[in-house]
Amino acid sequence: MDTDLNSISYLSLNYDHQPVLDHFDSALSSIVSSPSTAPPPPGPTNSLVIRELIGRLGTICNNNKSLAAGGDHSTNTSCYSTPLSSPPKSSLHSIPSMNPNSMPFPPDQGFTERAARMSCFGSGPHMAVSGQLSRVSSSQSLMDAGMTGGAQLEGELTVQESGGGANNGRKRKAGVKGKGKEASLASSGTANSKMSEEDPSAKRCKPDCKVGGKKGGVEEKNSNSSENNNDDRENKNENDSDNTDSKLAEPPKDYIHVRARRGQATDSHSLAERVRREKISERMKLLQDLVPGCNKVTGKAVMLDEIINYVQSLQHQVEFLSMKLATVDAPEDCNMDNLLRKDMHQACDRSMQQAVYPSAFPYPNQPQAGPLNSLLTANSISNMGMQPASNLPFDGFGNTSAQIGGFWEDDLQSVVQMGFVQNQEGALSSQSFQGSGPSSSDMKIEL
Amino acid sequence: MENLLSNASPHSETLIEERGKRIKLAAEVGLARSSGGRLWARALRRRLHRQRKLPQQTCIAKNSTPPLMKEVPLVADVTEEKEEVQDRMRALQRLVPGGEEMEVERLFEETADYIEALQEQVGVMRALACLLDGIESTDGDKL
C-alpha cells in the first residue's frame, strides 16, 4: 500500500503549484492510509476500497480544485461533497477549467464520478494529473505501479469495462457499471491501455446527455475541445454516474456536457439551470470559507447576511484604521498616503513574495522602530519639501520610491511584512481563489 | 516635533478628520490597484477616477458588461425566502464596488476577492498603525 500512497501523493503533487502539493501530500497520505486493506483480490471488498479511496481523492481534488479555482482553501481538508461541477471562469482564472463538464452530481455519487471528474481536468497540464490518477486507481486495485502516460484512467476504465463486458457502452446503470469497472480494474493487470483502444469503447459508452451552447459553453470550449480523452473520460464518468437517465445525441465538443438526472426534466433549460445553480452554490461555499464563522450557518439568507456583515465590518475597519493612522504623529502624515498605496501595491507584487515571510521579523514596537523612526523623521522632512500635503505624488512605483528615497523601500517592505505577520497571527483564513491575475493570486498566496 | 503636535491640537478635530479621509482615500487607491484583474477593482478605480482622486496613469478598461438584473434566487420555492435572498443580494451588490452590474455568480466571485483584498488592507493598515505607534512612543522617549 505504500506504493499506492506514494503514487497518490505524487498524483496530487503534479496538480498545480508546489505549495498546494505539499499541503495535499500530507492530506492525501493521511487519507490514503486509512483504507488499510492491502491490495485485495478482485471482488466487492476491492471495489469498496477503490470507491472509498477515489472518493477521498475526489474530495481532495475537489478541495484542490476549489483551491485552484476559487480560493486557496489550503487548510480546508473537510471533505466537501460537492462535485467538481462548476468550471472556473476561463478568462480570469489561471487554471483552465478543471471540470469541463459541469455535471451536477449529488454529493454521494460513487467513486467513479469523482475519479472521472478528476481525470477530466482540462487539457495539457492536467493530463499528468489524470495520468497519475489512473495510476493511482490501478495501483489501488492491482498494486500496479506501472501505469504511465496521461489520461489513462478513462482509458483504463473503458478498457476494463469492455474487458469486463458488464456494461459495455451502457451508461445507464451506474451501479452495474461500477461493479463491472471494478472487476475489470481488478482484473486488468497492466492498465496501460492505448488510447486507441479506449476510444472506441469510450465512444460507445458516451452518455450523450449533453446540454449544448449554454453560457458556460465558451468557458468549456478550451477544455472540452482540447482533448478527446477528456471528453471520453467525461462521458465515461457520466456513464458511471448513478443518475444517468436519458441520452442525447452527442453534442459538439465545445458545449457543456451535462447529464440529466434521473427523474428530472431533461430539457436544455432546466439542465442549464441546474448547472448554474451548482456553480452558484459552489461559489457560496467558497464565500463560506472566507467569512469566519459562516460554516455553522445554514440557509442562503442567513449566510448572505453574514457575508454582508463581514464585508461591512472590513470596510469599517479600514475607515477606523485610517482615522487612527491620521491621529498618529504629524511627521508621518505626508508619507501615509504613499505608504498605503505603495503597501497595497507591493503587497500584491509578485516580487514581494520572496521577501515576504518574516518568520523572525521583529515586532514593530521593538528596536526596529528606532532606525525606522529616524528614517521616518528624515523622510518626512524631505517629503514636506517635495509634496505639500498633496495626496497624489504617485507617479508609478519606481518614481515614488525615487521620490521618497531609496531607504523607504526597506521600510515599506518591512511594514508590509509586518502586516503579513499580523495577518498570519490574526485569524485570517489563508484562502483565496485562484484569482484573475497574477496580482490577486500573489496576494492570496502571501496570506 | 513638539511644535507640530501642539499645532495639531487646536484644530485637532478637522485636521485629523481631514487626514483620516486622505488616508482612507489612499487606502482605497491602494486597494483598487492591488487587484487589477477584478471587476470590483476596476469599478473602484472608475469611481475614484470620477472623483479625480486617482492619478491617471492606470488605463481603465471600461467595463462593458450590461447591467444584469438580479436573477431569481435559487433557493426553495417559498416566496418569502426568495424575497429575503433577493434583498440580501441587492445589499451585497451595493457593498461590493461595481456590484450592481454583476450577476449572481460573478457577484460571489467578486465578493470573495474583495473580501480578501479588504483583509489584506486591514492587515497592512493595522501593521502601519502599530509601527507608527511604536515610533511615536520611542520618539516621545527620546524627546
Side-chain angles (χ1 to χ4, degrees), chain B:
Chain B
M1 191 75 63
E2 282 171 333
N3 281 344
L4 282 168
L5 283 170
S6 55
N7 284 344
S9 32
H11 322 280
S12 57
E13 189 72 357
T14 38
L15 184 63
I16 288 183
E17 267 181 15
E18 188 194 314
R19 273 162 43 173
K21 287 195 192 128
R22 293 201 337 241
I23 291 174
K24 174 160 186 240
L25 196 63
E28 271 196 346
V29 170
L31 194 63
R33 288 205 152 128
S34 66
S35 182
R38 280 291 173 176
L39 284 181
W40 65 262
R42 265 180 258 160
L44 190 56
R45 261 179 269 146
R46 248 178 283 135
R47 195 202 329 151
L48 289 169
H49 256 271
R50 256 179 268 133
Q51 303 170 4
R52 266 176 248 118
K53 302 290 174 84
L54 182 67
Q56 307 265 344
Q57 324 97 334
T58 49
C59 67
I60 304 278
K62 187 71 181 172
N63 190 12
S64 56
T65 48
L68 293 166
M69 299 311 297
K70 221 17 170 182
E71 324 245 356
V72 176
L74 318 165
V75 290
D77 320 330
V78 182
T79 326
E80 187 188 307
E81 252 186 81
K82 281 187 184 172
E83 198 51 44
E84 281 187 3
V85 175
Q86 289 271 23
D87 288 342
R88 283 164 177 90
M89 290 292 206
R90 266 176 254 133
L92 191 58
Q93 270 182 323
R94 265 176 265 129
L95 274 183
V96 177
E100 286 85 2
E101 298 188 344
M102 300 177 201
E103 70 273 18
V104 187
E105 307 174 7
R106 195 69 157 201
L107 182 64
F108 283 157
E109 273 189 50
E110 299 290 321
T111 306
D113 198 66
Y114 185 56
I115 286 179
E116 284 170 355
L118 278 179
Q119 285 172 344
E120 190 150 327
Q121 170 133 80
V122 165
V124 166
M125 291 178 81
R126 212 179 275 150
L128 250 186
C130 257
L131 166 67
L132 296 174
D133 272 347
I135 288 180
E136 228 176 14
S137 56
T138 327
D139 217 9
D141 293 345
K142 284 188 182 169
L143 297 174

Side-chain angles (χ1 to χ4, degrees), chain A residues 154 199 202 206 228-236:
Chain A
E154 277 309 318
D199 284 350
K206 253 184 196 169
N228 212 9
N229 290 343
N230 284 347
D231 270 345
D232 292 345
R233 250 175 277 119
E234 291 170 34
N235 299 336
K236 266 264 29 136

Side-chain angles (χ1 to χ4, degrees), chain A residues 139-248:
Chain A
S139 55
Q140 282 304 311
S141 56
L142 312 167
M143 295 308 287
D144 189 352
M147 291 286 300
T148 54
Q152 293 295 333
L153 177 58
E154 277 309 318
E156 215 185 329
L157 294 175
T158 319
V159 165
Q160 285 146 5
E161 184 169 333
S162 46
N167 313 305
N168 216 5
R170 294 273 72 92
K171 295 215 166 170
R172 305 199 177 202
K173 299 170 186 171
V176 182
K177 266 200 185 156
K179 282 187 208 145
K181 259 196 191 169
E182 287 144 17
S184 44
L185 265 176
S187 53
S188 72
T190 55
N192 282 333
S193 42
K194 287 45 177 191
M195 291 324 291
S196 54
E197 226 182 291
E198 302 156 11
D199 284 350
S201 44
K203 284 205 162 109
R204 249 180 290 137
C205 301
K206 253 184 196 169
D208 308 346
C209 177
K210 322 272 187 186
V211 176
K214 296 309 165 189
K215 50 188 166 189
V218 177
E219 295 170 10
E220 311 310 335
K221 192 160 195 160
N222 296 338
S223 42
N224 276 354
S225 49
S226 59
E227 298 284 341
N228 212 9
N229 290 343
N230 284 347
D231 270 345
D232 292 345
R233 250 175 277 119
E234 291 170 34
N235 299 336
K236 266 264 29 136
N237 298 331
E238 288 178 310
N239 283 348
D240 302 328
S241 73
D242 301 350
N243 299 331
T244 58
D245 205 0
S246 59
K247 283 193 186 180
L248 302 178

Side-chain angles (χ1 to χ4, degrees), chain A residues 38-105:
Chain A
T45 46
N46 191 21
S47 59
L48 267 174
V49 169
I50 299 173
R51 208 183 276 268
E52 196 181 17
L53 194 68
I54 297 191
R56 287 178 179 165
L57 278 173
T59 56
I60 285 219
C61 286
N62 214 348
N63 298 342
N64 199 1
K65 179 231 172 191
S66 58
L67 188 145
D72 284 332
H73 304 275
S74 52
T75 55
N76 179 23
T77 50
S78 67
C79 289
Y80 273 149
S81 51
T82 37
L84 293 172
S85 55
S86 57
K89 294 149 69 107
S90 57
S91 56
L92 295 185
H93 292 295
S94 50
I95 303 236
S97 71
M98 304 181 4
N99 187 12
N101 181 13
S102 43
M103 301 180 294
F105 284 113

